[in-house]
Amino acid sequence: MKNHILKSGKIITLFLISSSVLGACTNDTVKPSETDKIPTSYMHGSFVIDVDNPEATVGFSDYTFIGYVNKNTGTRYEDVQTMEQENGSTKEASTPYTQYNVTVIENIKGELEQDKEISLEKAGGINEENTEYFLYEEDSLPTQGKYYIFTANAQDDGSLLVSGPNSNVLIDDINAKNKAAAEEKVVVTETAKEYTEAYENEIPYKRDRSKSDYEAE
């Protein structure tokens, strides 16, 4: 089961989702940077924590880290469901998970590998028809070439998932001439400091937890 910050433990979307994986495929023809060209439908989630409180989101997470997005590698689809349309016809729809390769710049909570790219998924993304994005309300997709604070959860299979509002927080107050200089500055930004302090004062959340395949030895 996907480990989301929701009352049911599953995504509550515009369509009903089961906990089993019914199918998957990959789509990388449309990138998140093109969201201004494609309409977005927003999913409603009933969260068990205050997603606007960093101390709560860090406490719920298995790993909190500063990460650089190297590449959007595609979109995977799960939980195919049949939806009834307004005209009475039916249509199959599935939940998108956008996939990324990222580099961990600094661990805040937990210890993930920093010497190689790791993979993670973001709940939400482009649909299979490339006609619409699905995101949680007040949520956003990471963008290639940007730095974020990620609050990620390990899944039962060892993969990493970021899900819901404020699970990837853009660090936008960096002004550097090159990537090496940016990585020196990113760890001392106000956003980084805020989440470091949030970890020191995290609000623990008791739940079943898993370990990422990317955890440092």
Side-chain angles (χ1 to χ4, degrees), residues 84-174:
E84 184 174 348
Q85 308 296 296
E86 291 183 358
N87 62 8
S89 63
T90 58
K91 177 183 177 180
E92 284 193 343
S94 54
T95 305
Y97 291 86
T98 307
Q99 301 173 311
Y100 298 92
N101 286 342
V102 304
T103 299
V104 178
I105 306 302
E106 182 166 290
N107 287 293
I108 296 174
K109 177 181 179 178
E111 292 293 332
L112 295 172
E113 296 174 308
Q114 294 182 247
D115 57 351
K116 66 178 183 180
E117 286 187 344
I118 67 173
S119 299
L120 61 77
E121 288 188 333
K122 170 74 178 189
I126 192 74
N127 64 1
E128 294 184 77
E129 294 79 20
N130 293 337
T131 58
E132 191 172 16
Y133 279 91
F134 287 94
L135 285 171
Y136 283 113
E137 295 171 329
E138 302 182 358
D139 198 5
S140 63
L141 293 174
T143 300
Q144 182 174 314
K146 300 289 186 180
Y147 294 91
Y148 293 86
I149 301 287
F150 290 100
T151 48
N153 295 317
Q155 304 302 290
D156 291 343
D157 62 0
S159 63
L160 287 173
L161 176 72
V162 291
S163 177
N166 298 316
S167 57
N168 48 265
V169 176
L170 176 66
I171 303 177
D172 58 2
D173 49 351
I174 304 171

